[in-house]
mmCIF file of all heavy atoms in Angstrom:
data_model
loop_
_atom_site.group_PDB
_atom_site.id
_atom_site.type_symbol
_atom_site.label_atom_id
_atom_site.label_comp_id
_atom_site.label_asym_id
_atom_site.label_seq_id
_atom_site.Cartn_x
_atom_site.Cartn_y
_atom_site.Cartn_z
ATOM 1 N N LEU A 84 -0.621 23.677 -4.928
ATOM 2 C CA LEU A 84 0.283 22.800 -5.638
ATOM 3 C C LEU A 84 -0.486 21.634 -6.269
ATOM 4 O O LEU A 84 -0.266 21.240 -7.412
ATOM 5 C CB LEU A 84 1.359 22.257 -4.663
ATOM 6 C CG LEU A 84 2.312 21.167 -5.237
ATOM 7 C CD1 LEU A 84 3.051 21.696 -6.458
ATOM 8 C CD2 LEU A 84 3.270 20.695 -4.173
ATOM 9 N N ILE A 85 -1.442 21.089 -5.509
ATOM 10 C CA ILE A 85 -2.267 20.002 -6.061
ATOM 11 C C ILE A 85 -3.048 20.458 -7.240
ATOM 12 O O ILE A 85 -3.120 19.768 -8.289
ATOM 13 C CB ILE A 85 -3.162 19.370 -4.946
ATOM 14 C CG1 ILE A 85 -2.301 18.650 -3.928
ATOM 15 C CG2 ILE A 85 -4.229 18.436 -5.551
ATOM 16 C CD1 ILE A 85 -2.999 18.196 -2.723
ATOM 17 N N ASP A 86 -3.617 21.669 -7.178
ATOM 18 C CA ASP A 86 -4.354 22.219 -8.329
ATOM 19 C C ASP A 86 -3.466 22.272 -9.560
ATOM 20 O O ASP A 86 -3.892 21.915 -10.681
ATOM 21 C CB ASP A 86 -4.903 23.611 -8.033
ATOM 22 C CG ASP A 86 -6.072 23.546 -6.980
ATOM 23 O OD1 ASP A 86 -6.618 22.476 -6.794
ATOM 24 O OD2 ASP A 86 -6.392 24.609 -6.416
ATOM 25 N N LYS A 87 -2.220 22.695 -9.335
ATOM 26 C CA LYS A 87 -1.267 22.828 -10.456
ATOM 27 C C LYS A 87 -0.970 21.492 -11.080
ATOM 28 O O LYS A 87 -0.992 21.297 -12.262
ATOM 29 C CB LYS A 87 0.013 23.549 -9.954
ATOM 30 C CG LYS A 87 1.014 23.881 -11.046
ATOM 31 C CD LYS A 87 2.261 24.480 -10.454
ATOM 32 C CE LYS A 87 3.236 23.375 -10.179
ATOM 33 N NZ LYS A 87 4.574 23.590 -9.844
ATOM 34 N N LEU A 88 -0.723 20.488 -10.177
ATOM 35 C CA LEU A 88 -0.412 19.113 -10.644
ATOM 36 C C LEU A 88 -1.601 18.460 -11.301
ATOM 37 O O LEU A 88 -1.459 17.742 -12.296
ATOM 38 C CB LEU A 88 0.106 18.280 -9.510
ATOM 39 C CG LEU A 88 1.453 18.754 -8.887
ATOM 40 C CD1 LEU A 88 1.706 18.052 -7.548
ATOM 41 C CD2 LEU A 88 2.596 18.520 -9.812
ATOM 42 N N ASN A 89 -2.798 18.723 -10.769
ATOM 43 C CA ASN A 89 -4.031 18.163 -11.392
ATOM 44 C C ASN A 89 -4.153 18.621 -12.862
ATOM 45 O O ASN A 89 -4.610 17.891 -13.712
ATOM 46 C CB ASN A 89 -5.282 18.660 -10.632
ATOM 47 C CG ASN A 89 -5.585 17.831 -9.374
ATOM 48 O OD1 ASN A 89 -5.062 16.768 -9.217
ATOM 49 N ND2 ASN A 89 -6.374 18.410 -8.501
ATOM 50 N N ALA A 90 -3.715 19.906 -13.067
ATOM 51 C CA ALA A 90 -3.907 20.468 -14.433
ATOM 52 C C ALA A 90 -2.766 20.124 -15.383
ATOM 53 O O ALA A 90 -2.855 20.435 -16.562
ATOM 54 C CB ALA A 90 -3.999 22.018 -14.288
ATOM 55 N N ASP A 91 -1.738 19.458 -14.862
ATOM 56 C CA ASP A 91 -0.541 19.229 -15.726
ATOM 57 C C ASP A 91 -0.679 17.877 -16.445
ATOM 58 O O ASP A 91 -0.683 16.819 -15.785
ATOM 59 C CB ASP A 91 0.684 19.195 -14.794
ATOM 60 C CG ASP A 91 2.009 19.026 -15.587
ATOM 61 O OD1 ASP A 91 1.978 18.569 -16.730
ATOM 62 O OD2 ASP A 91 3.050 19.357 -15.001
ATOM 63 N N PRO A 92 -0.791 17.863 -17.761
ATOM 64 C CA PRO A 92 -1.054 16.612 -18.467
ATOM 65 C C PRO A 92 0.113 15.614 -18.400
ATOM 66 O O PRO A 92 -0.012 14.460 -18.674
ATOM 67 C CB PRO A 92 -1.279 17.049 -19.923
ATOM 68 C CG PRO A 92 -0.688 18.436 -20.017
ATOM 69 C CD PRO A 92 -0.751 19.032 -18.675
ATOM 70 N N GLU A 93 1.289 16.094 -18.011
ATOM 71 C CA GLU A 93 2.458 15.218 -17.888
ATOM 72 C C GLU A 93 2.512 14.547 -16.500
ATOM 73 O O GLU A 93 3.414 13.727 -16.270
ATOM 74 C CB GLU A 93 3.778 15.989 -18.159
ATOM 75 C CG GLU A 93 3.925 16.399 -19.626
ATOM 76 C CD GLU A 93 3.868 15.213 -20.565
ATOM 77 O OE1 GLU A 93 4.615 14.223 -20.395
ATOM 78 O OE2 GLU A 93 3.063 15.241 -21.537
ATOM 79 N N VAL A 94 1.663 14.954 -15.640
ATOM 80 C CA VAL A 94 1.580 14.310 -14.269
ATOM 81 C C VAL A 94 0.392 13.418 -14.251
ATOM 82 O O VAL A 94 -0.734 13.829 -14.404
ATOM 83 C CB VAL A 94 1.487 15.411 -13.166
ATOM 84 C CG1 VAL A 94 1.265 14.737 -11.823
ATOM 85 C CG2 VAL A 94 2.737 16.278 -13.156
ATOM 86 N N HIS A 95 0.659 12.105 -14.055
ATOM 87 C CA HIS A 95 -0.440 11.116 -14.108
ATOM 88 C C HIS A 95 -0.792 10.608 -12.711
ATOM 89 O O HIS A 95 -1.901 10.047 -12.517
ATOM 90 C CB HIS A 95 -0.032 9.916 -14.982
ATOM 91 C CG HIS A 95 0.417 10.384 -16.353
ATOM 92 N ND1 HIS A 95 1.742 10.556 -16.663
ATOM 93 C CD2 HIS A 95 -0.276 10.712 -17.457
ATOM 94 C CE1 HIS A 95 1.829 10.958 -17.948
ATOM 95 N NE2 HIS A 95 0.648 11.095 -18.408
ATOM 96 N N GLY A 96 0.092 10.774 -11.764
ATOM 97 C CA GLY A 96 -0.160 10.288 -10.408
ATOM 98 C C GLY A 96 0.285 11.306 -9.394
ATOM 99 O O GLY A 96 1.362 11.937 -9.600
ATOM 100 N N ILE A 97 -0.518 11.514 -8.352
ATOM 101 C CA ILE A 97 -0.163 12.473 -7.288
ATOM 102 C C ILE A 97 -0.381 11.819 -5.975
ATOM 103 O O ILE A 97 -1.475 11.269 -5.700
ATOM 104 C CB ILE A 97 -1.070 13.715 -7.336
ATOM 105 C CG1 ILE A 97 -1.002 14.415 -8.706
ATOM 106 C CG2 ILE A 97 -0.677 14.718 -6.215
ATOM 107 C CD1 ILE A 97 -2.072 15.490 -8.920
ATOM 108 N N ILE A 98 0.633 11.805 -5.116
ATOM 109 C CA ILE A 98 0.376 11.336 -3.748
ATOM 110 C C ILE A 98 0.952 12.370 -2.739
ATOM 111 O O ILE A 98 2.001 13.011 -3.036
ATOM 112 C CB ILE A 98 0.894 9.918 -3.420
ATOM 113 C CG1 ILE A 98 2.433 9.901 -3.277
ATOM 114 C CG2 ILE A 98 0.530 8.935 -4.517
ATOM 115 C CD1 ILE A 98 2.907 8.561 -2.709
ATOM 116 N N VAL A 99 0.316 12.466 -1.620
ATOM 117 C CA VAL A 99 0.869 13.281 -0.496
ATOM 118 C C VAL A 99 1.256 12.286 0.580
ATOM 119 O O VAL A 99 0.414 11.549 1.064
ATOM 120 C CB VAL A 99 -0.182 14.265 0.004
ATOM 121 C CG1 VAL A 99 0.379 15.078 1.228
ATOM 122 C CG2 VAL A 99 -0.629 15.238 -1.087
ATOM 123 N N GLN A 100 2.536 12.261 0.901
ATOM 124 C CA GLN A 100 3.008 11.280 1.869
ATOM 125 C C GLN A 100 2.428 11.575 3.234
ATOM 126 O O GLN A 100 2.400 12.698 3.695
ATOM 127 C CB GLN A 100 4.562 11.320 1.932
ATOM 128 C CG GLN A 100 5.200 10.264 2.795
ATOM 129 C CD GLN A 100 4.979 8.834 2.265
ATOM 130 O OE1 GLN A 100 4.859 8.627 1.083
ATOM 131 N NE2 GLN A 100 4.914 7.854 3.184
ATOM 132 N N LEU A 101 1.858 10.538 3.888
ATOM 133 C CA LEU A 101 1.236 10.702 5.204
ATOM 134 C C LEU A 101 2.180 10.129 6.245
ATOM 135 O O LEU A 101 2.909 9.186 5.950
ATOM 136 C CB LEU A 101 -0.112 10.023 5.238
ATOM 137 C CG LEU A 101 -1.135 10.495 4.189
ATOM 138 C CD1 LEU A 101 -2.368 9.603 4.220
ATOM 139 C CD2 LEU A 101 -1.464 11.947 4.468
ATOM 140 N N PRO A 102 2.255 10.579 7.506
ATOM 141 C CA PRO A 102 1.419 11.692 8.008
ATOM 142 C C PRO A 102 1.909 13.048 7.558
ATOM 143 O O PRO A 102 3.059 13.205 7.215
ATOM 144 C CB PRO A 102 1.583 11.502 9.513
ATOM 145 C CG PRO A 102 2.970 10.907 9.686
ATOM 146 C CD PRO A 102 3.175 10.054 8.522
ATOM 147 N N VAL A 103 1.006 14.033 7.598
ATOM 148 C CA VAL A 103 1.323 15.445 7.316
ATOM 149 C C VAL A 103 1.421 16.146 8.668
ATOM 150 O O VAL A 103 0.908 15.700 9.646
ATOM 151 C CB VAL A 103 0.277 16.109 6.429
ATOM 152 C CG1 VAL A 103 0.401 15.638 4.974
ATOM 153 C CG2 VAL A 103 -1.123 15.833 6.898
ATOM 154 N N PRO A 104 2.115 17.300 8.685
ATOM 155 C CA PRO A 104 2.197 18.047 9.949
ATOM 156 C C PRO A 104 0.780 18.379 10.486
ATOM 157 O O PRO A 104 -0.171 18.454 9.730
ATOM 158 C CB PRO A 104 2.971 19.328 9.577
ATOM 159 C CG PRO A 104 3.728 18.980 8.328
ATOM 160 C CD PRO A 104 2.909 17.948 7.596
ATOM 161 N N ASP A 105 0.690 18.653 11.807
ATOM 162 C CA ASP A 105 -0.586 18.763 12.490
ATOM 163 C C ASP A 105 -1.489 19.899 11.928
ATOM 164 O O ASP A 105 -2.687 19.825 11.971
ATOM 165 C CB ASP A 105 -0.390 19.054 13.990
ATOM 166 C CG ASP A 105 0.067 17.787 14.706
ATOM 167 O OD1 ASP A 105 -0.021 16.700 14.115
ATOM 168 O OD2 ASP A 105 0.568 17.903 15.849
ATOM 169 N N HIS A 106 -0.849 20.957 11.385
ATOM 170 C CA HIS A 106 -1.692 22.099 10.913
ATOM 171 C C HIS A 106 -2.295 21.832 9.513
ATOM 172 O O HIS A 106 -3.046 22.630 8.993
ATOM 173 C CB HIS A 106 -0.869 23.385 10.931
ATOM 174 C CG HIS A 106 0.215 23.377 9.890
ATOM 175 N ND1 HIS A 106 1.479 22.751 10.090
ATOM 176 C CD2 HIS A 106 0.314 23.910 8.624
ATOM 177 C CE1 HIS A 106 2.215 22.905 9.011
ATOM 178 N NE2 HIS A 106 1.544 23.609 8.142
ATOM 179 N N ILE A 107 -1.934 20.698 8.933
ATOM 180 C CA ILE A 107 -2.457 20.356 7.595
ATOM 181 C C ILE A 107 -3.603 19.350 7.780
ATOM 182 O O ILE A 107 -3.493 18.356 8.521
ATOM 183 C CB ILE A 107 -1.383 19.708 6.707
ATOM 184 C CG1 ILE A 107 -0.177 20.626 6.559
ATOM 185 C CG2 ILE A 107 -1.972 19.267 5.376
ATOM 186 C CD1 ILE A 107 -0.284 21.689 5.515
ATOM 187 N N ASP A 108 -4.732 19.592 7.097
ATOM 188 C CA ASP A 108 -5.869 18.676 7.159
ATOM 189 C C ASP A 108 -5.752 17.680 6.003
ATOM 190 O O ASP A 108 -5.991 18.005 4.810
ATOM 191 C CB ASP A 108 -7.138 19.543 7.028
ATOM 192 C CG ASP A 108 -8.394 18.676 6.799
ATOM 193 O OD1 ASP A 108 -8.311 17.429 6.946
ATOM 194 O OD2 ASP A 108 -9.455 19.247 6.492
ATOM 195 N N PRO A 109 -5.439 16.412 6.334
ATOM 196 C CA PRO A 109 -5.195 15.460 5.252
ATOM 197 C C PRO A 109 -6.424 15.129 4.408
ATOM 198 O O PRO A 109 -6.304 14.869 3.245
ATOM 199 C CB PRO A 109 -4.677 14.176 5.985
ATOM 200 C CG PRO A 109 -5.143 14.310 7.404
ATOM 201 C CD PRO A 109 -5.297 15.799 7.700
ATOM 202 N N GLU A 110 -7.612 15.215 5.060
ATOM 203 C CA GLU A 110 -8.825 14.822 4.328
ATOM 204 C C GLU A 110 -9.072 15.813 3.137
ATOM 205 O O GLU A 110 -9.431 15.442 2.048
ATOM 206 C CB GLU A 110 -10.028 14.748 5.262
ATOM 207 C CG GLU A 110 -9.932 13.501 6.110
ATOM 208 C CD GLU A 110 -10.893 13.481 7.281
ATOM 209 O OE1 GLU A 110 -11.774 14.377 7.380
ATOM 210 O OE2 GLU A 110 -10.769 12.570 8.113
ATOM 211 N N GLU A 111 -8.955 17.116 3.478
ATOM 212 C CA GLU A 111 -9.168 18.140 2.433
ATOM 213 C C GLU A 111 -8.129 17.981 1.300
ATOM 214 O O GLU A 111 -8.462 18.092 0.105
ATOM 215 C CB GLU A 111 -9.094 19.533 3.011
ATOM 216 C CG GLU A 111 -9.588 20.568 2.035
ATOM 217 C CD GLU A 111 -9.426 22.041 2.509
ATOM 218 O OE1 GLU A 111 -8.640 22.279 3.449
ATOM 219 O OE2 GLU A 111 -10.043 22.890 1.910
ATOM 220 N N ILE A 112 -6.904 17.599 1.732
ATOM 221 C CA ILE A 112 -5.833 17.445 0.675
ATOM 222 C C ILE A 112 -6.169 16.267 -0.228
ATOM 223 O O ILE A 112 -6.087 16.322 -1.406
ATOM 224 C CB ILE A 112 -4.487 17.196 1.455
ATOM 225 C CG1 ILE A 112 -4.064 18.347 2.344
ATOM 226 C CG2 ILE A 112 -3.398 16.755 0.486
ATOM 227 C CD1 ILE A 112 -3.528 19.493 1.675
ATOM 228 N N ILE A 113 -6.519 15.134 0.432
ATOM 229 C CA ILE A 113 -6.815 13.920 -0.357
ATOM 230 C C ILE A 113 -7.973 14.190 -1.333
ATOM 231 O O ILE A 113 -7.969 13.741 -2.493
ATOM 232 C CB ILE A 113 -7.102 12.740 0.585
ATOM 233 C CG1 ILE A 113 -5.798 12.297 1.269
ATOM 234 C CG2 ILE A 113 -7.748 11.557 -0.158
ATOM 235 C CD1 ILE A 113 -5.957 11.358 2.415
#
Side-chain angles (χ1 to χ4, degrees):
L84 173 59
I85 291 172
D86 289 344
K87 187 183 90 170
L88 296 167
N89 279 342
D91 184 340
E93 291 303 308
V94 174
H95 307 96
I97 304 168
I98 75 168
V99 177
Q100 186 66 30
L101 301 173
V103 284
D105 287 347
H106 67 280
I107 303 277
D108 168 10
E110 288 169 6
E111 191 185 17
I112 299 284
I113 288 167

